[in-house]
Every structure is written in structure tokens, then in C-alpha cells.
Amino acid sequence: MVHISLLGIPNDDNSSFTRGPAEAPALIRRELHSDAYSSWSETGVDIGAQGLLVDHGDIRFDGAADAWELIEQHVAQALDAGHPLISLGGDHAITHPIMRAVRRRHRRLTILHIDAHPDIYHAYQGNPRSHTSPFARIMEEQLADRLIQVGLRTINDHHREQFQRFGVEVIEAGRYADSLKLKIDTPVYLSVDIDALDPAYAPGVSHREPGGLSVRQVIDLIQRIDQPIVAADIVEYNPRRDVSELTATVAAKLLKEIAGMMVKTATPAA
Ligand code: MN
Ligand code: MN
């Protein structure tokens, strides 16, 4: 049986506008385990099956240790279990230290990044760790071979320069087609920023950006991945901006579908 590791990373220290995503992991878990919903994913995998999810709990940030070192250590420990890993943010800044740990295990890796924003500022408000900058750090450190960004709708001139510099492949929200099938020939890291979705589906985010993807479109895109999904994050859910736990339910649904695809695409242990 393939197991899926789960790790909560409740950190929003590097959010630029408002706080709240640190409160997300507990609420996503509550929806995930709620008796109100089926535990089966559309992939035919029952995420509630005994022992399928191995929950490593939440990282405790006590302020003494550097948050980036803590995240990298805990992700490495969770990966040591040998299962695909889903991390629950937190804001998007956490993807940088996550990738440092993931990259050590995967010398061939494509990041599929689904977001309203490129998050590739060289720095923002003087903070190189800003949640608007993780993919600049990731590409500088060559933590992936390819970066594919889908759903963007806030691109400025600086972002375009960064795309050129790092060879980023971009599919803007306005260019998204339901037939989109990405050609990927390496293992995949999936980074899902909840604000990629239209705020009509997911109002619980710090930066609502209308004109986004539907839940169905994001799930379909994920279901068309035909390479192993070795790790993923779900970030930027902000419970303080949510309406009737709607966005928590969406995050839990995406978690189930990602986990199902991880099981389906996993290469059997040799
Ligand atoms: Mn975003
Ligand atoms: Mn983001």
C-alpha cells in the first residue's frame, strides 16, 4: 500500500499584506476528517482508508530556531518515511525551504505552480523571504529543472524579466484552456496557491484576484499529470477571510484529489 505523508507548516511570517494562513492546517484537517464529506477521491482512492495518511503533525515555530532551517529539517524527516508528502501552509514563502529538502531526493524535478501570482519578485518590501518571492530563490538555487506556472493574472514588467532570466514557462489565466495537458517527463512537485482559484470558489485568501480558475479546472489539470507527484503543498488559505469554511472545504477537496493522484502515479517500491 502506498502511504501519503502530511505535514502542517503554520507559518505566515512573510506575508506582505495580512496574516492568517498560519491558522490554516488545523482547519483543513478538520474538513478533511469531517463526517460531512466522503473520504473517497475521484481517482478511486479512499483517503480515509486506515493507515493511508501518515500525519506528521504541525511544525512548532518557537522563535528560537530559524524558521527556514526548521521547515527544511521537518520536511526532510517526513520524506525519510519514503512516501509522497503533502505540506499544508502557511503562506507561499514556505515553498522555498520545502524545496531545499525535496530537491536533495529528486535530481530530476518539475515544479507545477498553480497561482494567481508569479511569486518571483527578487524581493518585496525589502524581504527576500517574502511570500511574493519563493520562486526567485528556488530558481536561483536550481531547486528544480523546470518551473511551470499556471493561472497567473497579475504579471508586471519585473515578473517578465524574471521569467526570461529563469526560463519560466507561464500559462496565464486568460490563456488557460480546458484541454491543457502539460508535457512533463520528470517527477513533479505540485505547489497549489489557493488564490489561483477564482474568489467565487475560494474567498478565504489574503489577496483575492478575480478572473481565476474553477475548482473543477484545477482538479482536471492535476488529474492529467502522468508523472509521479512526489510532493505537494497547499498554501495561502486564510481562515480569517473565509466565508462559512467554504475555502477550507475546497482545500480539503484538493488535498484528497492530490493524494489520490500521488497514489495512482507512485512508482511501486523496488
Ligand atoms: Mn497567490
Ligand atoms: Mn502564491
Side-chain angles (χ1 to χ4, degrees), residues 80-244:
D80 280 344
H83 316 309
L85 170 68
I86 301 176
S87 302
L88 300 178
D91 68 35
H92 219 150
I94 66 170
T95 303
H96 174 219
I98 291 172
M99 289 309 304
R100 283 180 170 168
V102 171
R103 181 57 154 174
R104 281 204 300 276
R105 293 180 162 266
H106 296 282
R107 296 323 299 173
R108 296 172 67 242
L109 196 62
T110 297
I111 298 176
L112 174 53
H113 167 209
I114 306 174
D115 201 326
H117 313 95
D119 292 352
I120 200 160
Y121 274 102
H122 178 66
Y124 195 76
Q125 296 171 340
N127 179 13
R129 285 187 178 183
S130 169
H131 73 151
T132 70
S133 297
F135 293 94
R137 303 290 87 76
I138 285 165
M139 297 311 278
E140 284 164 1
E141 295 178 23
Q142 299 182 307
L143 301 180
D145 303 298
R146 285 175 74 190
L147 172 60
I148 306 171
Q149 300 188 316
V150 178
L152 309 190
R153 48 197 189 274
T154 58
I155 299 171
N156 65 24
D157 289 345
H158 171 64
H159 295 139
R160 286 185 215 285
E161 286 166 18
Q162 294 286 77
F163 295 158
Q164 281 228 310
R165 179 176 168 206
F166 297 120
V168 184
E169 299 159 68
V170 174
I171 298 152
E172 296 181 45
R175 303 257 172 205
Y176 183 87
D178 285 335
S179 57
L180 178 64
K181 165 86 169 68
L182 299 167
K183 291 192 180 66
I184 300 175
D185 61 1
T186 73
V188 173
Y189 182 92
L190 183 59
S191 188
V192 180
D193 183 324
I194 292 293
D195 70 29
L197 295 162
D198 193 276
Y201 300 93
V205 295
S206 302
H207 307 268
R208 290 180 189 151
E209 191 65 41
L213 303 176
S214 68
V215 177
R216 185 73 259 152
Q217 286 171 322
V218 170
I219 292 171
D220 287 348
L221 181 65
I222 293 168
Q223 288 179 346
R224 286 195 291 265
I225 296 172
D226 58 6
Q227 294 289 324
I229 304 172
V230 294
D233 61 57
I234 300 172
V235 296
E236 296 285 348
Y237 166 46
N238 186 340
R240 297 183 193 176
R241 306 263 292 156
D242 207 0
V243 177
S244 185

